[in-house]
C-alpha cells in the first residue's frame, strides 16, 4: 500500500519519475484500476452527495469507460498521428499512466461542501489535465511538451464527449 500511496501522491504532484515507474510496471495495472474506481466514487459523491447508490454506480461506470476510451484514443493519437521518432507505447502503458494522472480527482469528493463544489471540480479538472500532459509526455517518450498538450487536448475532448454520452444513456430521467 505504501507504493500505491507514494504513486498516487507523486502522480498528483506531477512527478515525472512516478509516471515512468508506473509506465514500466505492468503490475501497477491493478493499482491503476483501483485509483480509477476511487476517483469515480469521489466524483459521484462530490456531484450527487452520498445518497443514491445508483448515482455512484453511474459515476464509477462512467469513470472506467471514460478511462479506457481515453487511454485508447490517446495511444492512437500519440503513436499514430503525432509520434516522435522515439515514441513507443502500448495501451497498457497509457492505461496505467493516465489512471495515475486522475489522482487529483479524489478531491472531487469535497464537492459536497456547499458553495465550494464547483470550484473544487474546476481545480481538480485542470489539475488532472496538467497531470495527464505529464503522463502522456512520459508514456510516449516525447521531448516536446507541446506535442503532449496536443495529444491530451484531442484525447481529453473525445473522452469527455464519450463519457457524457454514456452518462446520458445511463442517468436517471428527471421529469
Amino acid at each position: 500500500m505504501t507504493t500505491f500511496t507514494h504513486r498516487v501522491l507523486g502522480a498528483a504532484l506531477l512527478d515525472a519519475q512516478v509516471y515512468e515507474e508506473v509506465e514500466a510496471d505492468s503490475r501497477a495495472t491493478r493499482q491503476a484500476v483501483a485509483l480509477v474506481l476511487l476517483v469515480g466514487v469521489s466524483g459521484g459523491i462530490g456531484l450527487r452527495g452520498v445518497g443514491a447508490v445508483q448515482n455512484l454506480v453511474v459515476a464509477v461506470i462512467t469513470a472506467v469507460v471514460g478511462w479506457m476510451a481515453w487511454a485508447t484514443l490517446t495511444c492512437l493519437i500519440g503513436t499514430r498521428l503525432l509520434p516522435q521518432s522515439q515514441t513507443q507505447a502500448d495501451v497498457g502503458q497509457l492505461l496505467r499512466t493516465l489512471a495515475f494522472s486522475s489522482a487529483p480527482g479524489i478531491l472531487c469528493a469535497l464537492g459536497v461542501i456547499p458553495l465550494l463544489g464547483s470550484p473544487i471540480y474546476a481545480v481538480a479538472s485542470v489539475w488532472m489535465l496538467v497531470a495527464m500532459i505529464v503522463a502522456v509526455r512520459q508514456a510516449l517518450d516525447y521531448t516536446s511538451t507541446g506535442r503532449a498538450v496536443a495529444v491530451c487536448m484531442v484525447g481529453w475532448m473525445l473522452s469527455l464527449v464519450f463519457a457524457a454520452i454514456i452518462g446520458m444513456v445511463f442517468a436517471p430521467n428527471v421529469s
Side-chain angles (χ1 to χ4, degrees):
M1 193 55 123
T2 303
T3 301
F4 179 69
T5 303
H6 164 77
R7 287 176 169 174
V8 170
L9 291 174
L13 294 173
L14 311 177
D15 183 346
Q17 196 57 40
V18 168
Y19 289 103
E20 288 290 340
E21 177 184 318
V22 169
E23 173 194 5
D25 183 4
S26 62
R27 294 171 300 158
T29 302
R30 284 189 213 131
Q31 292 179 345
V33 171
L35 183 54
V36 169
L37 293 173
L38 179 60
V39 170
V41 168
S42 296
I45 290 170
L47 278 177
R48 315 263 199 261
V50 180
V53 171
Q54 181 183 10
N55 292 335
L56 288 175
V57 170
V58 169
V60 169
I61 290 170
T62 301
V64 170
V65 171
W67 166 57
M68 292 175 8
W70 176 16
T72 302
L73 287 170
T74 303
C75 187
L76 289 172
I77 294 163
T79 62
R80 306 271 190 229
L81 295 177
L82 296 171
Q84 287 190 308
S85 60
Q86 71 281 5
T87 299
Q88 283 189 317
D90 59 38
V91 174
Q93 292 169 332
L94 280 151
L95 280 168
R96 290 188 297 277
T97 57
L98 292 176
F100 278 87
S101 74
S102 72
I106 294 170
L107 295 176
C108 290
L110 299 175
V112 297
I113 301 171
L115 303 175
L116 294 180
S118 293
I120 287 170
Y121 261 84
V123 167
S125 294
V126 170
W127 192 352
M128 286 188 292
L129 179 57
V130 172
M132 183 172 50
I133 292 166
V134 174
V136 167
R137 182 175 172 157
Q138 299 313 120
L140 297 174
D141 302 312
Y142 284 166
T143 58
S144 166
T145 300
R147 189 176 299 261
V149 168
V151 169
C152 290
M153 292 306 295
V154 172
W156 197 49
M157 295 305 265
L158 291 173
S159 290
L160 285 176
V161 167
F162 186 70
I165 291 168
I166 295 295
M168 286 187 278
V169 169
F170 290 106
N173 290 332
V174 178
S175 322

